Amino acid sequence: ASAAQLVRDLGAVRITRDMYPSRIDHLAFYDRFTSSHEWRCLLTRRAPDTLRTAWPPLPPAATIDDVRAACARLATALDLRDPQDYQLGRSRVFCRAGLLARLDTRVSDYVAACATR
C-alpha cells in the first residue's frame, strides 16, 4: 500500500472513531437490551408474562440479516429517534459517545421508579 493510501485509511479510521466511538456487534446489542427483565418491561410496557413473546431470544440459526433486522426493531423500541446517534453496520451497531451509557441510565431510572411505586 502506498503512503497516500495509508494516510487516507488512517484519516477514515480517525473520523469513524470520533463520530461513533462505541461499537457493539449486533447480537451483543440485542442481547444486552432484551435479555434483562427490566429492559424488556421498559421496551414493551407490558405485563411480565408477555415479555417472552414480545422480545424472544434470537434462534441459534439466525442469519446476520435476521439479527440486523432485530436490532433495527430494537432501536425503534428504544426510541432512538435521532439517526445520528447510531448507525447499523453490516455486523455492528455504531453508537455516538454516551449513547450506551444513556440507555443504561434509562433502565436504571425505570427500575428505581418501579421500586418506589
Side-chain angles (χ1 to χ4, degrees):
S2 70
Q5 177 70 31
L6 288 174
V7 168
R8 208 171 26 248
D9 289 348
L10 288 174
V13 168
R14 188 183 75 246
I15 289 169
T16 301
R17 288 191 185 260
D18 288 346
M19 293 183 70
Y20 299 102
S22 300
R23 296 164 176 78
I24 184 169
D25 78 31
H26 289 135
L27 190 56
F29 181 79
Y30 187 85
D31 286 345
R32 179 175 181 169
F33 297 114
T34 62
S35 62
S36 80
H37 173 75
E38 293 84 7
W39 266 115
R40 290 195 320 258
C41 284
L42 179 62
L43 288 171
T44 60
R45 295 172 181 84
R46 296 182 185 176
D49 59 338
T50 64
L51 296 177
R52 270 310 216 199
T53 315
W55 291 98
L58 291 169
T63 66
I64 193 161
D65 292 330
D66 296 336
V67 179
R68 189 174 190 279
C71 286
R73 285 193 322 271
L74 179 59
T76 300
L78 290 170
D79 205 21
L80 299 179
R81 295 178 189 202
D82 186 354
Q84 297 301 317
D85 276 349
Y86 72 98
Q87 293 291 319
L88 292 176
R90 177 90 178 116
S91 62
R92 293 191 174 144
V93 179
F94 297 88
C95 303
R96 288 230 186 238
L99 177 64
L100 295 175
R102 285 195 315 269
L103 292 172
D104 287 334
T105 299
R106 191 187 322 171
V107 78
S108 297
D109 293 347
Y110 176 79
V111 170
C114 288
T116 57
R117 286 185 195 165

